[in-house]
Amino acid sequence: MWDVLIDEQRIAARVAALGTEIRDAFGDDPIMVIGVLKGSFVFMADLVRAIPGPVECEFLGVSSYVGTESSGAVQITHELRCDVAGRHLLLVEDIIDTGRTLDALQRALEARGPASFRVVALLDKPSRRTVQVQVDWTGFTIEDLFVVGYGLDLDQRYRNEPFIGVPRGTLDR
Ligand code: IMP
Ligand code: MG
C-alpha cells in the first residue's frame, strides 16, 4: 500500500543530530517543547529523548486537514495548559505545508510573551508554501508528495507506520 520514502534508520539518524543541534542552540536553558497534536507526537517522543538537559513537554492541538487537502481554517482543538511567558519555546511540527498552521500558532504563542520562540519540523514541503514562515530546524525537505507514517495520517490512519511513506507507485511517476 505504501512505498518507503524515508526509512527508520534515516529518521533515527536525523532525529539524533537534531537533538544535539537543538541543545547547542539553547545552551543550558530549560526548553519548553510544545508538540502540535496529533501529527508531531511520534517525532516529539523520539526528539525529546535526543535533546540532553532540561526539557518540559507540552502539547497543543490543531486541525486543518480533511483527507489530503487543507481546509484552510486552523482550529485549536486542545489549548496549552501552561504559561509560556518568559519561557524558551520549541514548537514541534510534523510537516510544514502551506505554512498556515505554523503562522497561526506563531502569532498566538508570540503574543503570550515567551523569552524565545523556535520551530523544528520533521518535514518541509517548501513548494507548497502560501504563507512565509521561519523554520529553525527541518528533518527532511521533500517534494510535493502526500506522506504518511511516523505520526502523519491520512484520515487518522497510518500514524503508526515506523517509516515515512507515500502511496504505492507515486515515486515511479
Ligand atoms: P499547513 O498549515 O498547510 O502548513 O499544514 C500543516 C498540517 O497539514 C500538518 O501539520 C499536517 O497535519 C498536515 N499535512 C500537510 N501535508 C501533509 C502530508 O503530506 N501528510 C499528512 N499530513 C499533512
Ligand atoms: Mg494531519
Side-chain angles (χ1 to χ4, degrees), residues 51-142:
I51 302 175
V55 157
E56 289 174 34
C57 300
E58 300 289 345
F59 293 93
L60 59 76
V62 295
S63 74
S64 66
Y65 261 64
V66 179
T68 60
E69 281 303 316
S70 175
S71 65
V74 177
Q75 278 182 310
I76 294 199
T77 56
H78 173 88
E79 233 329 327
L80 276 177
R81 299 267 168 83
C82 59
D83 187 2
V84 303
R87 307 300 306 274
H88 294 281
L89 309 186
L90 177 67
L91 192 75
V92 182
E93 265 280 26
D94 54 355
I95 186 164
I96 312 297
D97 187 44
T98 63
R100 281 192 289 236
T101 306
L102 176 57
D103 183 59
L105 290 177
Q106 175 158 14
R107 286 168 197 274
L109 290 171
E110 285 195 329
R112 299 177 197 182
S116 65
F117 178 83
R118 279 175 267 200
V119 178
V120 58
L122 172 68
L123 298 166
D124 188 7
K125 289 197 266 195
S127 64
R128 293 264 307 162
R129 206 72 94 246
T130 59
V131 181
Q132 286 317 308
V133 286
Q134 194 194 323
V135 183
D136 299 274
W137 294 276
T138 300
F140 303 93
T141 299
I142 62 171

Side-chain angles (χ1 to χ4, degrees), residues 36-59:
V36 182
L37 294 172
K38 300 176 206 170
S40 73
F41 82 102
V42 176
F43 174 45
M44 176 149 158
D46 286 341
L47 182 68
V48 292
R49 286 178 286 177
I51 302 175
V55 157
E56 289 174 34
C57 300
E58 300 289 345
F59 293 93

Side-chain angles (χ1 to χ4, degrees), residues 39 65 94 152-153 156 159:
Y65 261 64
D94 54 355
L152 290 114
D153 72 302
Q156 302 306 325
R159 295 191 196 274

